[in-house]
Amino acid sequence: MQPAETPAPAPPGVLPAVPSAPAPRRWHRSGRGKTGAALAAVVAALLAAPRLVPNTPGRLGSLLETLLPWLGLAVPVLLCAGLLRRAPVAVVAALLPALVWGVRFGGLCLTGVDDSGGLVVVQHNVSDENADPAGTAAALNRSGARIVALEELTEQALPVYARALASRFPYHGASGTVGLWSAYPLTDVRPVDIRPHDIAEGWNRGLRATAHTPDGDLAVYVAHLPSIRLGATGLRSGPRDESAALLATVVRHEPLERVLLLGDLNSTVDDRGLGPLRAHLDAPGSGAAFSWPASFPVARIDQVLARSVRVTGIRTLPATGSDHLPVAAYVDLGGAG
């Protein structure tokens, strides 16, 4: 191996040459970042108008709407990508979907729950595989609710709930696998037919009653819409959508002006599958209340919707033996305001 040559010494009075430092990296002002900006624009458009995505094939529109708040996770990804690539166009563009997300969901997810409503109601799918119905009933008794709606009641569990809830909720009615418990007298308790045409007879998941509250009569509906399925062909939500439309027809013809619907609707309020119901019923004013699955909630499919009364806020309660979290809603019976 030959020894490395040493540079010749500089002549007397001449300073040796100093290697120049590498030029600092600069923000690119060229077209870099256009792809990131385009992606940010797409995310913003989907957040603002998810109905741009058609429901065929595979009901992709409903799938997007079900998980719509989570689309906001694209914002930090786009922002970090723009920063790493030193692309100011992409960084600025990432602020657009952030703004749209904040306008649409910030009030629900980032602010406190408005509990100013005087009436507390609880909606809970108690699960037909719940191994501790007595413990679930005890949690409901501690909730402070005056009206409780339950779904997936089995023949074995129904008497357990009836006994355990009787002291705080002396009035109750059940139909099929749904039930209603109330601290106020109930009359005109009857089943509501929301069975899709391709489901066998005997399927009963709807109930209607009149609750006689100190602030006047209130029509209370309890419903458990059919489940949705996600498979290789997309989202299967046809039976749920049909059941929602049947329920909407009943609600539209409800003679009482004030209506409260509590139920596992297997849908978020953004899902177009609930469109017929949302045309007649309003959603809560505050609170995200993701209720399913209980182990890692990603969506609120347990709903409290209203007509001519105002649901000021909604929140989840501690987990029970169910795969759903209970949700408590605060209802102002003074009107929709």
Side-chain angles (χ1 to χ4, degrees):
M1 177 182 294
Q2 297 294 328
E5 294 184 2
T6 58
V14 178
L15 294 176
V18 178
S20 59
R25 296 180 65 186
R26 297 180 180 179
W27 287 86
H28 292 273
R29 297 180 181 178
S30 63
R32 179 173 291 190
K34 288 185 177 180
T35 300
L39 290 174
V42 170
V43 172
L46 293 177
L47 283 167
R51 296 207 174 202
L52 291 173
V53 178
N55 236 5
T56 54
R59 297 186 181 269
L60 296 179
S62 284
L63 179 60
L64 171 65
E65 290 158 346
T66 298
L67 301 173
L68 194 59
W70 295 96
L71 191 57
L73 292 177
V75 172
V77 175
L78 292 168
L79 188 60
C80 289
L83 290 170
L84 289 174
R85 299 198 68 196
R86 296 180 176 268
V89 172
V91 172
V92 173
L95 300 179
L96 179 60
L99 176 63
V100 176
W101 189 95
V103 170
R104 181 149 195 171
F105 299 109
L108 293 178
C109 300
L110 303 180
T111 61
V113 175
D114 183 354
D115 58 358
S116 60
L119 172 64
V120 180
V121 302
V122 166
Q123 148 61 28
H124 191 25
N125 180 327
V126 295
S127 175
D128 54 10
E129 297 180 351
N130 192 331
D132 185 21
T136 299
L140 295 170
N141 280 328
R142 296 191 298 267
S143 68
R146 305 294 285 170
I147 292 176
V148 170
L150 304 181
E151 298 83 43
E152 292 199 13
L153 294 169
T154 64
E155 292 183 3
Q156 296 76 22
L158 179 57
V160 177
Y161 288 108
R163 288 193 301 268
L165 297 174
S167 60
R168 291 189 60 86
F169 307 96
Y171 308 98
H172 89 275
S175 179
T177 58
V178 301
L180 178 67
W181 276 259
S182 173
Y184 309 120
L186 297 176
T187 59
D188 198 17
V189 180
R190 63 177 185 268
V192 175
D193 185 8
I194 58 173
R195 180 176 63 89
H197 74 281
D198 60 349
I199 294 181
E201 293 187 11
W203 187 95
N204 188 352
R205 293 186 178 184
L207 178 149
R208 185 262 181 216
T210 299
H212 301 281
T213 78
D215 295 300
D217 291 351
L218 178 68
V220 182
Y221 286 81
V222 183
H224 184 188
L225 302 187
S227 300
I228 59 177
R229 295 288 184 266
L230 182 61
T233 59
L235 192 71
R236 182 180 179 271
S237 63
R240 182 206 62 189
D241 297 348
E242 182 182 350
S243 189
L246 291 170
L247 181 57
T249 299
V250 176
V251 170
R252 185 172 70 248
H253 293 98
E254 168 58 49
L256 288 181
E257 181 63 24
R258 301 195 299 177
V259 175
L260 200 62
L261 167 63
L262 303 95
D264 174 2
L265 304 186
N266 271 303
S267 185
T268 67
V269 292
D270 295 300
D271 187 341
R272 70 194 68 181
L274 285 192
L277 277 172
R278 294 285 283 112
H280 306 287
L281 299 168
D282 297 321
S286 68
F290 291 171
S291 63
W292 180 88
S295 56
F296 186 79
V298 298
R300 184 176 82 235
I301 62 176
D302 295 274
Q303 307 293 352
V304 180
L305 307 177
R307 182 182 78 190
S308 297
V309 297
R310 190 164 64 95
V311 183
T312 61
I314 190 168
R315 65 182 179 90
T316 56
L317 298 177
T320 67
S322 172
D323 58 339
H324 291 239
L325 294 177
V327 297
Y330 304 90
V331 183
D332 179 4
L333 293 177

